[in-house]
Amino acid sequence: MRKLIDQISMQQSRIVDLEEDKKRQDEEYGQMKALVQDLQLKGLQRRMDKIQTPVAAVVIMACNRADYLERTIKSILKYQNAVASKYPLFVSQDGSDPQVREKALSYDQLTHMQHLDSKPVQTERPGELIAYYKIAHDMEIAPDFFDYFEAAAALMEKDKTIMAVSSWNDNGQKQFVHDPEILYRSDFFPGLGWMLTKSTWNELSPKWPKAYWDDWLRLQENHKGRQFIRPEVCRTYNFGEHGSSLGQFFRQYLEPIKLNDVQVDWKSKDLSYLMEDEYIKHFAEILKNAKPINGADAVLKASNVQGDVRVHYKDQPDFERIARQFGVFQEWKDGVPRTAYKGVVVFRYPPPRRVFLVGPKSFELLGIKSV
């Protein structure tokens, strides 16, 4: 009798699991059906069939801040209307916040997708943050945002050593930038508004964790020597003081970011200097021409020198000490300082003068003999 009771209990538990699976499948079917209907109603396919060739989908990841979502959508639509067929707009909503859903569905210019997961999220590593519910939709874009990414997309197609293109510069605060037309290669993934090729996403998506959307970690860990393109002056602005970082560094590093306000004609720009073979020579030449500064008081010395300067650091603590003097990001991730290329971090101080913080192996990596 006891065995029979145990068997009945196990069967009942199995029935509950099957019912939950069916419920989840019904929800997923409903979402797919709603998405298809939404695409049909809005005539997305007709828009994409026009003369303009699609470049990339623009995806806004949203969760539970309808006011942030509205501000982001309005910023994008301000510049997207003229290129809508090239850049179809989507809102990807995690969770079931009714205000976010209502706000997204109130715009005919975009397609809303909703993700519901009734199973508890399992982390992949000890200490991983379950933060999918904190995904912020708190970005405004620059007037040349779409032109910039279209030009960069063509560059990515030519140079497979470029893993992603970002609209962000961690040291893009007003006091550290000057030229809106300058782009850099970086060994550090900038994040906060970025573009991947489909092939790169196909490579990364199986490795992407379900527990959280940590774009920096996954791209930085899997770049395999490939690099990233970033602008000197940011093409996105993060206004979310209470977003996914819970306000961390907001006042010091995010609030003073300079959002580009110049309409750069990227179609007329020659970006071939950013190709891998060309860029290492291009960057090395600029660095060689910068005047070396030694000893303490780097800020004072840099201010009294005409033209670009370079300051050499010995190791991470030394870098942090020097970066602290200037007020730029001191943080390292995966052994790389933020914004660094071959160990070199560049910023303006004061503009237009460039300051290069040069690592102990940077000259060797750039093929520069001691100067």
Side-chain angles (χ1 to χ4, degrees):
M1 180 63 71
R2 190 176 295 114
K3 288 182 179 179
L4 181 59
I5 291 173
D6 289 342
Q7 289 176 358
I8 293 172
S9 177
M10 291 176 62
Q11 291 298 326
Q12 288 176 334
S13 177
R14 177 61 177 158
I15 290 171
V16 170
D17 288 342
L18 290 171
E19 288 176 344
E20 289 180 353
D21 286 342
K22 183 178 184 302
K23 180 181 178 182
R24 185 164 52 255
Q25 289 174 3
D26 289 343
E27 288 175 346
E28 291 174 353
Y29 171 75
Q31 293 170 34
M32 291 301 297
K33 184 177 180 181
L35 176 59
V36 171
Q37 291 174 342
D38 193 36
L39 290 170
Q40 291 173 340
L41 288 172
K42 293 176 179 177
L44 179 63
Q45 189 60 52
R46 287 196 300 274
R47 293 204 302 272
M48 294 181 69
D49 283 341
K50 291 182 180 178
I51 296 174
Q52 289 182 325
T53 302
V55 176
V58 177
V59 182
I60 304 170
M61 294 175 287
C63 183
N64 60 357
R65 290 185 178 272
D67 54 340
Y68 279 18
L69 176 61
E70 181 175 32
R71 182 170 170 180
T72 299
I73 292 174
K74 286 183 176 179
S75 172
I76 292 174
L77 291 180
K78 183 177 180 181
Y79 305 111
Q80 187 251 6
N81 284 335
V83 291
S85 61
K86 289 185 177 184
Y87 294 92
L89 182 59
F90 295 80
V91 169
S92 177
Q93 180 185 353
D94 283 288
S96 56
D97 187 289
Q99 292 182 324
V100 169
R101 176 180 171 81
E102 181 181 356
K103 181 60 63 179
L105 291 175
S106 69
Y107 288 90
D108 291 334
Q109 301 96 319
L110 59 84
T111 297
H112 172 258
M113 301 178 291
Q114 189 169 17
H115 306 286
L116 299 171
D117 196 342
S118 56
K119 284 186 176 180
V121 174
Q122 301 296 322
T123 59
E124 296 181 357
R125 309 172 190 172
E128 270 190 346
L129 176 64
I130 299 175
Y132 61 91
Y133 56 89
K134 296 179 182 175
I135 294 171
H137 29 274
D138 49 6
M139 308 293 287
E140 291 181 334
I141 67 172
D144 63 342
F145 176 89
F146 292 104
D147 290 341
Y148 163 68
F149 274 112
E150 185 169 356
L155 188 65
M156 276 202 302
E157 287 298 318
K158 296 177 184 176
D159 188 346
K160 301 305 180 184
T161 68
I162 300 172
M163 187 174 191
V165 175
S166 175
S167 57
W168 186 258
N169 174 11
D170 284 303
N171 290 322
Q173 294 77 21
K174 295 179 178 70
Q175 66 271 28
F176 299 132
V177 298
H178 173 71
D179 191 340
E181 298 184 4
I182 292 293
L183 306 180
Y184 294 93
R185 288 182 78 109
S186 171
D187 297 307
F188 187 99
F189 174 53
L192 291 179
W194 43 274
M195 176 175 62
L196 293 173
T197 62
K198 182 179 179 180
S199 60
T200 301
W201 175 244
N202 288 339
E203 172 194 337
L204 292 178
S205 57
K207 308 172 187 177
W208 216 268
K210 295 181 180 179
Y212 64 110
W213 188 269
D214 193 331
D215 54 7
W216 179 87
L217 182 63
R218 276 303 178 263
L219 269 77
Q220 190 67 28
E221 283 184 343
N222 291 280
H223 70 94
K224 297 179 181 177
R226 291 170 290 184
Q227 293 166 335
F228 309 95
I229 299 296
R230 67 167 180 85
E232 177 172 313
V233 183
C234 291
R235 264 55 188 187
T236 50
Y237 178 78
N238 188 311
F239 59 79
E241 182 174 2
H242 304 293
S244 59
S245 63
L246 300 179
Q248 184 183 21
F249 304 135
F250 180 82
R251 297 189 188 283
Q252 183 177 359
Y253 294 115
L254 300 183
E255 192 172 36
I257 284 288
K258 165 68 175 176
L259 178 65
N260 178 52
D261 54 6
V262 179
Q263 184 65 58
V264 176
D265 181 13
W266 289 106
K267 292 183 177 64
S268 67
K269 301 300 175 185
D270 181 6
L271 301 183
S272 60
Y273 72 94
L274 291 163
M275 301 287 284
E276 183 181 35
D277 292 341
E278 292 296 323
Y279 189 76
I280 193 166
K281 294 183 289 185
H282 165 80
F283 192 80
E285 191 64 27
I286 296 174
L287 185 59
K288 283 193 298 184
N289 292 331
K291 299 174 183 178
I293 291 178
N294 300 308
D297 301 323
V299 174
L300 179 61
K301 290 180 178 178
S303 300
N304 292 324
V305 173
Q306 294 294 321
D308 296 342
V309 299
R310 65 175 189 263
V311 184
H312 291 255
Y313 63 89
K314 298 177 294 185
D315 49 27
Q316 183 173 346
D318 195 34
F319 172 86
E320 292 172 351
R321 177 186 63 81
I322 298 169
R324 191 180 306 115
Q325 292 182 31
F326 285 99
V328 297
F329 255 109
Q330 306 163 38
E331 186 181 22
W332 287 40
K333 294 279 192 181
D334 198 33
V336 182
R338 283 184 180 266
T339 77
Y341 172 71
K342 307 297 185 185
V344 180
V345 171
V346 57
F347 55 92
R348 308 276 182 167
Y349 191 93
R353 178 190 295 110
R354 281 177 292 198
V355 175
F356 298 87
L357 305 186
V358 185
K361 295 183 179 180
S362 295
F363 273 21
E364 178 184 346
L365 293 171
L366 289 164
I368 301 175
K369 297 180 180 179
S370 296
V371 292

